[in-house]
Amino acid sequence: MKSLYQISTVVMILIVLLGVGRATAQSQEYMMDGMTFGMPEAEVFTEDYDGPIVVGEYVTMLPNLAPLDYEGNKHHEIRLDTFTQEIEVANGVRYRAWTFGGMVPGPVIHVREGDRITFTMKNRSDEEVVITDPGATPSSDYARQIAENNYMDAKPATMAMPHSMDFHAGTVAKDDKWRTIAPGETIKFDWVANYAGTYIYHCGTPSVLMHTAMGQHGVVVVSPKEGYQTDYEVDREYVVVQSEYYLKKGSGDLYQYDFEAAQSVNPSHVVFNGHQTILHDQPLVANEGERVRLHVSNNGPSGTSSFHVIGAIFDRVWLEGHPQNEMRGMQTVLLGASGSATMDFIVPEEGKYILIDHEFADAEKGATGTLKAGPRQR
């Protein structure tokens, strides 16, 4: 891992140079076109914290999406700590992942358009964090789900590195809110979900390619204030994230990041929800005649996705998840890196439906899954 430490030294020098010109004046909050801008300056501090790795009422593990059981706008307190875990991404393939909340991808955050988020993140990459410890995982749905279904067989590990958080759903100055923090530091900042849609979040510390490929990414689903046209017809709702790994065999049993493969966009694995077989071993479920909604995000970091469900047509598609970007009758939805869409389809018959990246080279590297449909409920 010598090369990682060499890179981290260069990164820290770049961070110092880039941070010299960062504005430190407090912003003045203001409204424009019904949206809120001008958030307070981010805080960076140290704290004696070893509590829950994830905090938030509407934060879940893929493919789950927490229902929003409130009206109007809400102020969310959300915490995602970043740390290292040794995980499995395919049969016999394990590596030390850089994670948000202990899994790859990180947890799904669900908010409503107009909600305010106070976000906190501690860089715990220099400490071993046990994500399935009942004493350290109270209260949140995410914590319960990860304890009950640790599919990646995550084990604590350390790799001290600088990290940051970049929410694509946030409209803020990146040199303030997305600033890099060292191991042991905590960052806290506010942002408002001004735009409806499904948005990637990822580490923004150079090399962004490396940090994202190492596992630091997830999604925020921002439900529109007025909803989608078919909301009351939806029977099942899931989140699917496509992403790439660039791994090669290391000197021991673990795999490691392949710099050359990442630069040439030659992934070793292309997967849904972080693992090559998870959506076959644990398929999505529905019944004949039901309307299923998928929030699909291509988190890359570099590849495209031609998302398709074999045997179905997307009845409604909202590109980027925005309710005004509606298309109908689509067989395949093209998603660039960091692109997303919200898709509805009707399950025509009982049987198995294969989720697939129709770029078949990626499908053969793992970008497939299953939706298992039962008989019609009369």
mmCIF file of all heavy atoms in Angstrom, residues 233 235 286-293 309 311-316 343-349 353 371:
data_model
loop_
_atom_site.group_PDB
_atom_site.id
_atom_site.type_symbol
_atom_site.label_atom_id
_atom_site.label_comp_id
_atom_site.label_asym_id
_atom_site.label_seq_id
_atom_site.Cartn_x
_atom_site.Cartn_y
_atom_site.Cartn_z
ATOM 1 N N GLU A 233 -50.408 5.065 -7.393
ATOM 2 C CA GLU A 233 -50.523 3.775 -8.058
ATOM 3 C C GLU A 233 -49.326 2.868 -7.775
ATOM 4 O O GLU A 233 -49.327 1.693 -8.145
ATOM 5 C CB GLU A 233 -50.641 3.980 -9.574
ATOM 6 C CG GLU A 233 -51.819 4.857 -9.989
ATOM 7 C CD GLU A 233 -51.774 5.190 -11.473
ATOM 8 O OE1 GLU A 233 -51.223 4.374 -12.238
ATOM 9 O OE2 GLU A 233 -52.261 6.268 -11.853
ATOM 10 N N ASP A 235 -46.884 0.389 -6.042
ATOM 11 C CA ASP A 235 -46.996 -0.675 -5.040
ATOM 12 C C ASP A 235 -45.661 -0.997 -4.379
ATOM 13 O O ASP A 235 -45.624 -1.390 -3.208
ATOM 14 C CB ASP A 235 -47.540 -1.950 -5.700
ATOM 15 C CG ASP A 235 -48.921 -1.743 -6.300
ATOM 16 O OD1 ASP A 235 -49.879 -1.597 -5.519
ATOM 17 O OD2 ASP A 235 -49.022 -1.714 -7.544
ATOM 18 N N ALA A 286 -42.054 -8.344 -6.187
ATOM 19 C CA ALA A 286 -43.295 -7.671 -6.558
ATOM 20 C C ALA A 286 -44.293 -8.749 -6.948
ATOM 21 O O ALA A 286 -43.987 -9.951 -6.865
ATOM 22 C CB ALA A 286 -43.067 -6.693 -7.704
ATOM 23 N N ASN A 287 -45.460 -8.339 -7.388
ATOM 24 C CA ASN A 287 -46.466 -9.282 -7.861
ATOM 25 C C ASN A 287 -46.977 -8.853 -9.232
ATOM 26 O O ASN A 287 -46.897 -7.670 -9.607
ATOM 27 C CB ASN A 287 -47.647 -9.354 -6.886
ATOM 28 C CG ASN A 287 -47.268 -10.002 -5.565
ATOM 29 O OD1 ASN A 287 -46.674 -11.079 -5.543
ATOM 30 N ND2 ASN A 287 -47.580 -9.338 -4.471
ATOM 31 N N GLU A 288 -47.491 -9.826 -9.961
ATOM 32 C CA GLU A 288 -48.087 -9.551 -11.262
ATOM 33 C C GLU A 288 -49.114 -8.422 -11.146
ATOM 34 O O GLU A 288 -49.931 -8.394 -10.230
ATOM 35 C CB GLU A 288 -48.760 -10.822 -11.786
ATOM 36 C CG GLU A 288 -49.512 -10.651 -13.095
ATOM 37 C CD GLU A 288 -50.273 -11.903 -13.494
ATOM 38 O OE1 GLU A 288 -50.104 -12.945 -12.825
ATOM 39 O OE2 GLU A 288 -51.035 -11.838 -14.471
ATOM 40 N N GLY A 289 -49.056 -7.484 -12.072
ATOM 41 C CA GLY A 289 -50.029 -6.395 -12.102
ATOM 42 C C GLY A 289 -49.673 -5.211 -11.230
ATOM 43 O O GLY A 289 -50.394 -4.200 -11.238
ATOM 44 N N GLU A 290 -48.577 -5.284 -10.480
ATOM 45 C CA GLU A 290 -48.197 -4.163 -9.623
ATOM 46 C C GLU A 290 -47.344 -3.160 -10.394
ATOM 47 O O GLU A 290 -46.650 -3.504 -11.351
ATOM 48 C CB GLU A 290 -47.424 -4.664 -8.401
ATOM 49 C CG GLU A 290 -48.279 -5.447 -7.420
ATOM 50 C CD GLU A 290 -47.530 -5.830 -6.153
ATOM 51 O OE1 GLU A 290 -46.280 -5.912 -6.199
ATOM 52 O OE2 GLU A 290 -48.191 -6.065 -5.127
ATOM 53 N N ARG A 291 -47.416 -1.911 -9.922
ATOM 54 C CA ARG A 291 -46.544 -0.865 -10.456
ATOM 55 C C ARG A 291 -45.326 -0.752 -9.546
ATOM 56 O O ARG A 291 -45.452 -0.535 -8.340
ATOM 57 C CB ARG A 291 -47.271 0.472 -10.535
ATOM 58 C CG ARG A 291 -46.393 1.618 -11.078
ATOM 59 C CD ARG A 291 -47.163 2.933 -11.128
ATOM 60 N NE ARG A 291 -48.162 2.908 -12.168
ATOM 61 C CZ ARG A 291 -47.956 3.242 -13.447
ATOM 62 N NH1 ARG A 291 -46.737 3.628 -13.819
ATOM 63 N NH2 ARG A 291 -48.929 3.202 -14.328
ATOM 64 N N VAL A 292 -44.143 -0.911 -10.131
ATOM 65 C CA VAL A 292 -42.888 -0.846 -9.406
ATOM 66 C C VAL A 292 -42.162 0.435 -9.790
ATOM 67 O O VAL A 292 -42.101 0.797 -10.971
ATOM 68 C CB VAL A 292 -41.989 -2.066 -9.726
ATOM 69 C CG1 VAL A 292 -40.615 -1.923 -9.082
ATOM 70 C CG2 VAL A 292 -42.664 -3.357 -9.263
ATOM 71 N N ARG A 293 -41.627 1.108 -8.802
ATOM 72 C CA ARG A 293 -40.834 2.316 -9.045
ATOM 73 C C ARG A 293 -39.388 2.058 -8.643
ATOM 74 O O ARG A 293 -39.110 1.589 -7.535
ATOM 75 C CB ARG A 293 -41.389 3.509 -8.269
ATOM 76 C CG ARG A 293 -40.511 4.761 -8.361
ATOM 77 C CD ARG A 293 -41.225 5.982 -7.817
ATOM 78 N NE ARG A 293 -42.358 6.315 -8.654
ATOM 79 C CZ ARG A 293 -43.313 7.189 -8.304
ATOM 80 N NH1 ARG A 293 -43.270 7.773 -7.106
ATOM 81 N NH2 ARG A 293 -44.298 7.465 -9.124
ATOM 82 N N VAL A 309 -34.916 -3.429 -18.036
ATOM 83 C CA VAL A 309 -35.509 -4.574 -17.335
ATOM 84 C C VAL A 309 -36.074 -5.510 -18.394
ATOM 85 O O VAL A 309 -37.002 -5.146 -19.131
ATOM 86 C CB VAL A 309 -36.604 -4.132 -16.352
ATOM 87 C CG1 VAL A 309 -37.270 -5.366 -15.717
ATOM 88 C CG2 VAL A 309 -36.036 -3.230 -15.260
ATOM 89 N N GLY A 311 -38.192 -7.875 -20.261
ATOM 90 C CA GLY A 311 -39.592 -8.259 -20.157
ATOM 91 C C GLY A 311 -40.513 -7.139 -19.748
ATOM 92 O O GLY A 311 -41.721 -7.359 -19.596
ATOM 93 N N ALA A 312 -39.989 -5.936 -19.588
ATOM 94 C CA ALA A 312 -40.819 -4.811 -19.151
ATOM 95 C C ALA A 312 -40.499 -3.568 -19.970
ATOM 96 O O ALA A 312 -39.431 -3.451 -20.574
ATOM 97 C CB ALA A 312 -40.601 -4.529 -17.668
ATOM 98 N N ILE A 313 -41.430 -2.641 -19.987
ATOM 99 C CA ILE A 313 -41.253 -1.319 -20.589
ATOM 100 C C ILE A 313 -41.451 -0.293 -19.488
ATOM 101 O O ILE A 313 -42.370 -0.408 -18.657
ATOM 102 C CB ILE A 313 -42.274 -1.068 -21.712
ATOM 103 C CG1 ILE A 313 -42.078 -2.068 -22.856
ATOM 104 C CG2 ILE A 313 -42.179 0.370 -22.222
ATOM 105 C CD1 ILE A 313 -40.817 -1.861 -23.657
ATOM 106 N N PHE A 314 -40.610 0.724 -19.471
ATOM 107 C CA PHE A 314 -40.767 1.783 -18.470
ATOM 108 C C PHE A 314 -41.928 2.681 -18.884
ATOM 109 O O PHE A 314 -41.849 3.442 -19.846
ATOM 110 C CB PHE A 314 -39.471 2.571 -18.319
ATOM 111 C CG PHE A 314 -38.320 1.747 -17.823
ATOM 112 C CD1 PHE A 314 -37.165 1.613 -18.572
ATOM 113 C CD2 PHE A 314 -38.411 1.077 -16.607
ATOM 114 C CE1 PHE A 314 -36.100 0.837 -18.116
ATOM 115 C CE2 PHE A 314 -37.359 0.290 -16.143
ATOM 116 C CZ PHE A 314 -36.203 0.174 -16.899
ATOM 117 N N ASP A 315 -43.003 2.559 -18.142
ATOM 118 C CA ASP A 315 -44.249 3.278 -18.406
ATOM 119 C C ASP A 315 -44.058 4.781 -18.249
ATOM 120 O O ASP A 315 -44.547 5.586 -19.042
ATOM 121 C CB ASP A 315 -45.301 2.751 -17.415
ATOM 122 C CG ASP A 315 -46.643 3.410 -17.578
ATOM 123 O OD1 ASP A 315 -47.162 3.399 -18.700
ATOM 124 O OD2 ASP A 315 -47.162 3.947 -16.582
ATOM 125 N N ARG A 316 -43.360 5.182 -17.201
ATOM 126 C CA ARG A 316 -43.005 6.581 -16.949
ATOM 127 C C ARG A 316 -41.530 6.631 -16.560
ATOM 128 O O ARG A 316 -41.056 5.786 -15.788
ATOM 129 C CB ARG A 316 -43.803 7.178 -15.790
ATOM 130 C CG ARG A 316 -45.313 7.173 -15.950
ATOM 131 C CD ARG A 316 -45.785 8.297 -16.869
ATOM 132 N NE ARG A 316 -47.180 8.607 -16.645
ATOM 133 C CZ ARG A 316 -48.196 7.870 -17.073
ATOM 134 N NH1 ARG A 316 -47.965 6.724 -17.694
ATOM 135 N NH2 ARG A 316 -49.451 8.239 -16.847
ATOM 136 N N MET A 343 -38.002 5.551 -12.469
ATOM 137 C CA MET A 343 -38.672 4.778 -13.514
ATOM 138 C C MET A 343 -39.819 3.967 -12.919
ATOM 139 O O MET A 343 -39.634 3.279 -11.919
ATOM 140 C CB MET A 343 -37.691 3.810 -14.175
ATOM 141 C CG MET A 343 -36.324 4.391 -14.485
ATOM 142 S SD MET A 343 -35.164 3.095 -15.033
ATOM 143 C CE MET A 343 -33.625 4.029 -15.038
ATOM 144 N N ASP A 344 -40.961 4.031 -13.557
ATOM 145 C CA ASP A 344 -42.105 3.182 -13.208
ATOM 146 C C ASP A 344 -42.306 2.136 -14.293
ATOM 147 O O ASP A 344 -42.169 2.426 -15.487
ATOM 148 C CB ASP A 344 -43.394 4.005 -13.125
ATOM 149 C CG ASP A 344 -43.524 4.802 -11.844
ATOM 150 O OD1 ASP A 344 -42.557 4.860 -11.060
ATOM 151 O OD2 ASP A 344 -44.602 5.392 -11.635
ATOM 152 N N PHE A 345 -42.640 0.910 -13.888
ATOM 153 C CA PHE A 345 -43.085 -0.080 -14.853
ATOM 154 C C PHE A 345 -44.095 -0.997 -14.211
ATOM 155 O O PHE A 345 -44.131 -1.162 -12.980
ATOM 156 C CB PHE A 345 -41.916 -0.883 -15.443
ATOM 157 C CG PHE A 345 -41.193 -1.778 -14.464
ATOM 158 C CD1 PHE A 345 -41.531 -3.118 -14.338
ATOM 159 C CD2 PHE A 345 -40.153 -1.279 -13.693
ATOM 160 C CE1 PHE A 345 -40.847 -3.948 -13.456
ATOM 161 C CE2 PHE A 345 -39.461 -2.100 -12.815
ATOM 162 C CZ PHE A 345 -39.813 -3.432 -12.693
ATOM 163 N N ILE A 346 -44.948 -1.577 -15.032
ATOM 164 C CA ILE A 346 -45.976 -2.512 -14.577
ATOM 165 C C ILE A 346 -45.459 -3.931 -14.785
ATOM 166 O O ILE A 346 -44.968 -4.276 -15.868
ATOM 167 C CB ILE A 346 -47.287 -2.286 -15.350
ATOM 168 C CG1 ILE A 346 -47.834 -0.888 -15.038
ATOM 169 C CG2 ILE A 346 -48.321 -3.354 -14.989
ATOM 170 C CD1 ILE A 346 -48.962 -0.452 -15.954
ATOM 171 N N VAL A 347 -45.547 -4.750 -13.751
ATOM 172 C CA VAL A 347 -45.109 -6.146 -13.847
ATOM 173 C C VAL A 347 -46.171 -6.913 -14.629
ATOM 174 O O VAL A 347 -47.294 -7.091 -14.144
ATOM 175 C CB VAL A 347 -44.908 -6.763 -12.456
ATOM 176 C CG1 VAL A 347 -44.475 -8.219 -12.575
ATOM 177 C CG2 VAL A 347 -43.893 -5.955 -11.653
ATOM 178 N N PRO A 348 -45.857 -7.382 -15.845
ATOM 179 C CA PRO A 348 -46.910 -7.951 -16.694
ATOM 180 C C PRO A 348 -47.391 -9.329 -16.283
ATOM 181 O O PRO A 348 -48.580 -9.650 -16.443
ATOM 182 C CB PRO A 348 -46.251 -7.991 -18.084
ATOM 183 C CG PRO A 348 -44.784 -8.014 -17.817
ATOM 184 C CD PRO A 348 -44.569 -7.264 -16.549
ATOM 185 N N GLU A 349 -46.495 -10.170 -15.776
ATOM 186 C CA GLU A 349 -46.843 -11.551 -15.448
ATOM 187 C C GLU A 349 -46.018 -12.029 -14.268
ATOM 188 O O GLU A 349 -44.997 -11.428 -13.919
ATOM 189 C CB GLU A 349 -46.557 -12.480 -16.644
ATOM 190 C CG GLU A 349 -47.293 -12.146 -17.917
ATOM 191 C CD GLU A 349 -46.828 -13.003 -19.089
ATOM 192 O OE1 GLU A 349 -45.860 -13.771 -18.924
ATOM 193 O OE2 GLU A 349 -47.439 -12.880 -20.163
ATOM 194 N N TYR A 353 -37.766 -11.189 -13.698
ATOM 195 C CA TYR A 353 -37.412 -10.086 -14.586
ATOM 196 C C TYR A 353 -35.979 -9.666 -14.264
ATOM 197 O O TYR A 353 -35.642 -9.420 -13.102
ATOM 198 C CB TYR A 353 -38.391 -8.916 -14.407
ATOM 199 C CG TYR A 353 -39.794 -9.313 -14.813
ATOM 200 C CD1 TYR A 353 -40.624 -9.997 -13.920
ATOM 201 C CD2 TYR A 353 -40.262 -9.063 -16.094
ATOM 202 C CE1 TYR A 353 -41.893 -10.408 -14.297
ATOM 203 C CE2 TYR A 353 -41.531 -9.471 -16.489
ATOM 204 C CZ TYR A 353 -42.341 -10.139 -15.589
ATOM 205 O OH TYR A 353 -43.597 -10.554 -15.978
ATOM 206 N N LEU A 371 -35.701 -9.190 -10.398
ATOM 207 C CA LEU A 371 -36.958 -8.891 -9.710
ATOM 208 C C LEU A 371 -37.831 -10.126 -9.837
ATOM 209 O O LEU A 371 -38.125 -10.585 -10.949
ATOM 210 C CB LEU A 371 -37.659 -7.679 -10.300
ATOM 211 C CG LEU A 371 -38.969 -7.283 -9.581
ATOM 212 C CD1 LEU A 371 -39.119 -5.783 -9.476
ATOM 213 C CD2 LEU A 371 -40.201 -7.877 -10.286
#
